[in-house]
């Protein structure tokens, strides 16, 4: 039997399918009509929920980048990426490692800002290194850039003052280094 | 030349000799170019049937089947066939006409967004937006449809673009697509690990699927099983890879499989899945499926591995390339084959105790199982057999005893009633010298019975053996067993008169209602020079057993 004894059936194990954390997938796709529908359609058909989605061009005009985030506690990321790879227009998928990734999201907050609390809101914006991009009599529009968590934290700060509207881009991400 | 002429040349360069389809407004240019093309066009009577014929052609030959349809309803009629080809991994290319470019998006006459409609059921698809893309997209389509895990590819061509003048240069090398590179070889380390695991297994089972047939790996599979008397079972789609009279063969597994196969899976310590996808018809209750087993999973589609059942040793690649390596690695370990003796003793006892069996008919009653056994006898077990979906399909799977791959052509994944007759036409076109028979149910046959006209007028002689029980038999069986016998929507009654219907189409019609005449009538049907239909009146309320009720475990088999 020789080295066959080195593999005992009881020692064989499977990879855990749920990672339990948020994943950012960076997907390079061919820039062709209908590619986003294929990706989005795949998610709905297989019952995968996308938390955020951002699409845009890359340095190569033939290639677009889809950045999406999803919850690895709910979805088997491995199965998601394997299904995505089956799409012929999908060129490359990177499951971004949070340790070595720079991820940013941009959000615009329209906040009710009467004279008496305007100073406080401006102060929040400074703390968060946010920009006030529009001022009107009763409201401010504030631009916040940062991680998903930072934007959530800012939202929690301003919500008690009267959050009128909020728009977010969804996270985009790049790996550090070369 | 026109885009349509380039399309024909591209098809010819892909080795296409037959296409199935129906013309219409938007694909008139295609049909005009067809007049001068070196291809035979078989004019189906419904686009769904053209699609199934293309599938039958591909099933039987291994070559890519091609179907044409026009825009709008022509294209939407293809949808069932496209979905069927996706579920069963059948290499097919569907070419649809589309309304003129400037009408797209305006709800023009016979406009349907067929690329949008079919997105979840194609391996790939493309809408031509510039005439010059036509040949490129066709060559890409054949490459994608026929390599890796095969499947359907749709190319939708607007009617103005296909009339434009373009130039065509045949491709000089293989198609290269940056986002499409099937993995074929299999990881050598994983293969070695699998061999070692097998060497330490005392209760192994080889579980194979349609992938072995699709991948032409039947010989390699048999050599692997013979490496050490490995017990082998297969899904519905995998029948014929291992001959039914092979000593290692356990019979089909799953919902209507044999007890020996299902019990062996239940008690196995190691299961080697090859080109199979752990469908719910196989696993039954997932949490109780093969509870004692570790899994080696070999598949050309990485997404199948660990999709339903987590694999302990995944191997991605082509079974035809991987199996000889696995056989070699295993033999090199020089294991002691006697360790499998007690496992085989157990399996043999199940086989003896629970053979496939049925109560013989009395007073001339034709039992459906007897009908299939007689069909085996009169065809020498060597026919290409297509079927529809339902009880008759399961009885063919259980009782025909397939000995060669590609002889069993049916709709497994999608379960499409009406598949049998058109796929028989496609199989006969692919293999004109072979006997092609369609075992149909009376509920299914009528769904595409118009194809008798195709068979007769195109002179494609297929033999239809109609298992006529007057019911939607499988649904009736479920209503009897699981819905307290509250029958609903399952009686087909006495219409149509199948013999006269066959005659009306110009085919020969025969009827048999006595088991004593069956063999002779079947021979007469086969010997008829042309398309013929034998209406066999079988026991109306026979149930298909054994059976694992849906959502139950292998141990809960009934009947």
């Amino acid at each position: 039997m020789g080295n066959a004894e080195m593999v005992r059936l009881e020692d064989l194990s499977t990879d855990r399918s749920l990672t339990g954390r948020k994943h950012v997938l960076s997907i390079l796709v061919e820039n062709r009509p209908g590619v986003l529908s294929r990706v989005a359609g795949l998610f709905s058909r297989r019952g995968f929920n996308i938390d955020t989605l951002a699409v845009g061009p890359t340095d190569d005009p033939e290639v677009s980048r889809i950045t999406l985030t999803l919850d690895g506690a709910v979805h088997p990321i491995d199965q998601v990426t394997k299904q995505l790879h089956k799409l012929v227009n999908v060129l490359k998928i990177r499951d971004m490692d949070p340790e070595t990734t720079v991820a940013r999201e941009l959000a615009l907050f329209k906040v009710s800002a009467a004279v008496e609390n305007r100073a406080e809101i401006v102060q929040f914006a400074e703390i968060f290194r946010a920009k006030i991009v529009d001022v009107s009599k009763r409201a401010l529009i504030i631009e916040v850039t940062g991680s998903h968590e930072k934007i959530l934290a800012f939202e929690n700060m301003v919500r008690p003052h009267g959050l009128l509207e909020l728009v977010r881009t969804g996270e985009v991400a790049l790996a550090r280094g070369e | 030349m026109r885009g349509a002429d380039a399309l024909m040349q591209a098809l010819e360069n892909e080795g296409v000799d037959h296409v199935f389809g129906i013309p219409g407004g938007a694909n008139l240019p295609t049909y005009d170019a067809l007049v001068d093309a070196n291809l035979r066009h078989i004019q189906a009577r419904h686009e769904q049937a053209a699609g199934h014929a293309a599938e039958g052609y591909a099933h039987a030959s291994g070559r890519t089947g091609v179907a044409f349809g026009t825009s709008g309803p022509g294209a939407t009629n293809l949808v069932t066939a496209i979905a069927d080809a996706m579920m069963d991994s059948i290499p097919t290319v569907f070419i649809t006409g589309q309304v003129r470019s400037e009408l797209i998006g305006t709800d023009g006459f016979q406009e349907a967004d067929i690329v949008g409609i079919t997105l979840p059921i194609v391996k790939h698809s493309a809408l031509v937006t510039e005439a010059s893309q036509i040949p490129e997209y066709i060559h890409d389509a054949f490459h994608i449809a026929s390599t890796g895990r095969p499947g359907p590819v749709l190319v939708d061509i607007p009617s103005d673009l296909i009339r434009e003048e373009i130039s065509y240069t045949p491709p000089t090398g293989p198609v290269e697509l940056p986002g499409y590179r099937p993995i074929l070889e299999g990881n050598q380390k994983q293969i070695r690990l699998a061999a070692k695991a097998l060497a330490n297994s005392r209760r192994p089972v080889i579980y194979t699927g349609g992938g072995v047939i699709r991948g032409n790996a039947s010989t390699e599979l048999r050599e692997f099983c013979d490496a050490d008397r490995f017990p082998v079972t297969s899904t519905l789609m995998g029948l014929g890879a291992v001959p039914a009279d092979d000593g290692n063969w356990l019979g089909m597994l799953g919902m209507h499989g044999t007890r020996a196969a299902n019990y062996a899976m239940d008690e196995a310590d190691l299961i080697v899945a090859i080109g199979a996808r752990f469908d719910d018809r196989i696993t039954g209750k997932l949490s109780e499926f093969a509870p004692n087993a570790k899994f080696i999973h070999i598949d050309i589609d990485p997404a199948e591995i660990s999709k339903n059942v987590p694999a302990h040793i995944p191997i991605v690649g082509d079974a035809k390339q991987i199996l000889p390596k696995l056989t070699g690695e295993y033999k090199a370990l020089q294991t002691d084959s006697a360790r499998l003796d007690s496992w085989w003793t157990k399996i043999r006892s199940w086989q003896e105790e629970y053979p496939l069996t049925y109560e013989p008919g009395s007073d001339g009653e034709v039992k459906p199982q007897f009908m299939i056994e007689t069909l085996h006898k009169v065809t020498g077990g060597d026919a290409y057999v297509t079927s529809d979906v339902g009880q008759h399909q399961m009885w063919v799977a259980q009782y025909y005893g397939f000995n060669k791959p590609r002889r069993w052509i049916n709709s497994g994944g999608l379960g499409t009633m009406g598949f049998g007759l058109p796929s028989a036409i496609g199989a006969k076109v692919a293999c004109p010298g072979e006997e092609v028979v369609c075992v149909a149910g009376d509920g299914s046959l009528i769904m595409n019975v118009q194809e008798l006209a195709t068979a007769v007028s195109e002179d494609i002689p297929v033999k239809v053996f109609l298992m006529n029980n007057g019911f939607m038999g499988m649904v009736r069986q479920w209503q009897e067993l699981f819905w307290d016998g509250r029958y609903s929507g399952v009686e087909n009654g006495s219409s149509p008169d199948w013999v006269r219907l066959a005659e009306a189409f110009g085919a020969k019609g025969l009827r048999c209602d006595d088991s004593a005449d069956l063999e002779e009538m079947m021979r007469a049907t086969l010997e008829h020079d042309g398309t013929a239909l034998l209406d066999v009146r079988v026991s109306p309320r026979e149930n298909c057993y054994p059976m694992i009720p849906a959502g139950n475990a292998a141990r809960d088999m009934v009947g």
Side-chain angles (χ1 to χ4, degrees), chain A residues 1 3-10 12-14 32 37-38 45 79 82-83 85-91, chain B residues 119-120 124-125 137 144 149 178-179 193 196-197 199-201 269 294 301-303 305 307 310-312 333:
Chain A
M1 302 265 287
N3 55 4
E5 283 158 8
M6 283 155 46
V7 179
R8 302 191 313 163
L9 294 188
E10 52 269 37
L12 295 173
S13 63
T14 59
R32 292 198 185 196
S37 314
R38 284 178 206 277
R45 141 132 174 71
Q79 179 62 207
K82 287 193 292 191
Q83 292 290 352
H85 265 301
K86 286 170 71 169
L87 298 175
V88 172
N89 302 125
V90 168
L91 302 174
Chain B
L119 271 186
H124 189 55
S125 58
Y137 281 15
I144 293 166
R149 179 180 182 174
L193 184 64
K196 288 178 180 175
N200 282 330
S201 163
D269 64 358
K294 306 283 178 164
D301 179 357
I305 291 172
K307 183 183 78 177
H312 300 81
L333 296 173

Side-chain angles (χ1 to χ4, degrees), chain B residues 2 4 8 22-35 69-71 97-98 157 159 162-163:
Chain B
R2 295 170 302 178
M8 295 304 146
I22 302 184
N27 66 357
L28 270 169
T30 303
Y31 275 76
D32 184 71
L34 202 48
V35 173
T70 191
S71 65
Q98 181 54 276
I157 316 179
S159 66
I162 202 162
R163 298 175 74 156

Side-chain angles (χ1 to χ4, degrees), chain A:
Chain A
M1 302 265 287
N3 55 4
E5 283 158 8
M6 283 155 46
V7 179
R8 302 191 313 163
L9 294 188
E10 52 269 37
D11 295 340
L12 295 173
S13 63
T14 59
D15 289 338
R16 282 187 55 214
S17 58
L18 297 178
T19 60
R21 65 172 172 86
K22 184 185 90 170
H23 285 254
V24 179
L25 298 185
S26 175
I27 307 163
L28 293 177
V29 299
E30 290 179 278
N31 181 12
R32 292 198 185 196
V35 174
L36 182 60
S37 314
R38 284 178 206 277
V39 172
L42 173 87
F43 275 74
S44 67
R45 141 132 174 71
R46 299 268 172 196
F48 306 140
N49 274 322
I50 302 173
D51 288 339
T52 71
L53 173 76
V55 190
T58 63
D59 53 310
D60 179 348
E62 307 269 295
V63 176
S64 303
R65 187 191 302 274
I66 298 175
T67 308
L68 56 83
T69 59
L70 66 166
D71 188 351
V74 184
H75 303 304
I77 301 300
D78 183 46
Q79 179 62 207
V80 173
T81 56
K82 287 193 292 191
Q83 292 290 352
L84 281 168
H85 265 301
K86 286 170 71 169
L87 298 175
V88 172
N89 302 125
V90 168
L91 302 174
K92 197 174 175 189
I93 303 168
R94 193 155 176 182
D95 181 3
M96 311 291 275
D97 178 355
E99 298 288 307
T100 58
T101 299
V102 178
R104 291 287 182 271
E105 186 172 5
L106 184 144
L108 295 174
F109 290 84
K110 188 185 282 182
V111 186
S112 166
V115 181
E116 56 271 24
N117 61 7
R118 185 165 288 203
E120 196 179 353
I121 293 170
V122 170
Q123 208 176 4
F124 287 155
E126 276 168 16
I127 295 167
F128 280 82
R129 294 185 194 173
K131 275 189 266 178
I132 295 165
V133 291
D134 187 68
V135 183
S136 61
K137 267 190 180 162
R138 299 185 177 281
L140 298 174
I141 296 179
I142 305 165
E143 175 192 317
V144 188
T145 306
S147 68
H148 190 78
E149 292 71 24
K150 174 179 167 184
I151 289 168
L152 207 63
F154 187 76
E155 182 185 336
N156 289 335
M157 295 303 285
V158 295
R159 190 175 277 283
H161 296 281
L163 180 57
L164 300 174
E165 268 189 282
L166 164 61
V167 58
R168 300 166 63 154
T169 58
E171 264 185 320
V172 293
L174 282 178
R176 292 179 201 272
E178 282 124 62

Side-chain angles (χ1 to χ4, degrees), chain B residues 181-478:
Chain B
R181 295 215 174 89
I183 301 162
L184 304 175
E185 299 83 16
N187 181 304
Q188 191 65 41
K189 268 168 78 178
Q190 291 290 90
I191 293 171
R192 190 165 298 149
L193 184 64
K196 288 178 180 175
L198 264 166
N200 282 330
S201 163
R202 298 187 166 271
R203 298 187 307 280
V205 175
I206 314 304
Y207 147 54
T208 78
V212 172
I213 308 279
R214 251 15 114 232
N216 298 312
S218 305
T219 307
E220 291 78 5
L221 172 65
R222 289 198 297 277
E223 285 167 2
F224 168 59
C225 294
D226 285 340
D228 204 356
R229 300 185 299 151
F230 293 130
V232 56
T233 177
S234 96
T235 67
L236 179 70
M237 300 313 289
L239 296 177
V242 173
D245 54 14
D246 190 286
N248 295 330
W249 176 242
L250 305 180
M252 181 172 78
L253 83 165
M255 184 173 272
H256 291 287
T258 63
R259 277 191 160 77
N262 285 325
Y263 289 181
M265 292 290 280
D266 189 60
E267 292 197 13
D269 64 358
L270 182 68
I271 289 170
V272 186
I274 309 168
R277 59 189 177 82
F278 296 87
D279 176 77
D280 57 274
R281 260 35 184 179
I282 298 305
T283 62
K285 191 174 190 179
L286 208 50
S287 59
E288 291 177 28
F289 172 67
N292 307 302
K294 306 283 178 164
F295 293 93
I296 297 168
H297 195 170
I298 301 170
D299 206 288
I300 201 160
D301 179 357
E304 283 306 335
I305 291 172
S306 300
K307 183 183 78 177
N308 294 338
V309 172
H312 300 81
I313 306 177
I315 306 176
V316 177
D318 179 5
K320 196 175 179 66
Q321 298 193 28
I322 291 167
L323 285 173
K325 296 178 195 168
L326 181 56
T327 306
E329 291 282 350
Y330 182 78
K331 283 186 173 167
L333 296 173
Q334 297 186 326
T335 53
D336 178 11
S337 172
R339 80 188 190 288
L340 301 180
D341 286 350
S342 61
W343 182 222
W344 270 113
T345 306
K346 198 163 204 180
I347 291 171
R348 294 291 178 227
S349 73
W350 287 324
Q351 289 177 318
E352 273 164 41
E353 197 174 344
Y354 308 109
L356 284 173
T357 183
Y358 63 96
E359 194 96 352
S362 54
D363 298 331
E365 180 189 16
V366 183
K367 284 289 185 138
Q369 302 90 335
F370 176 73
M371 176 180 164
I372 304 303
E373 288 175 334
T374 309
L375 182 67
H376 177 99
K377 190 175 170 190
V378 298
T379 56
D382 213 25
Y384 284 75
V385 183
T386 75
S387 87
D388 286 309
V389 168
Q391 287 180 316
H392 67 281
Q393 176 191 28
M394 293 300 120
W395 280 314
V396 176
Q398 291 176 335
Y399 287 94
Y400 190 80
F402 289 93
N403 286 319
K404 292 177 186 166
R406 298 197 176 279
R407 304 274 159 147
W408 172 223
I409 298 168
N410 77 127
S411 166
L414 194 67
T416 308
M417 292 170 71
F419 177 85
L421 176 57
S423 63
I425 290 171
K428 185 69 180 176
V429 166
C431 309
E434 304 281 347
E435 192 73 76
V436 177
V437 305
C438 163
V439 178
D442 54 306
S444 290
L445 181 59
I446 204 155
M447 293 191 181
N448 269 320
V449 77
Q450 77 285 344
E451 295 310 307
L452 283 173
T454 307
V456 171
S457 53
E458 297 272 353
D459 194 20
I460 303 164
V462 296
K463 314 295 178 176
V464 180
F465 292 91
L466 173 60
M467 187 180 278
N468 187 351
N469 59 11
F471 284 110
M472 299 281 188
M474 189 60 95
V475 183
R476 191 207 57 73
Q477 175 172 341
W478 282 50

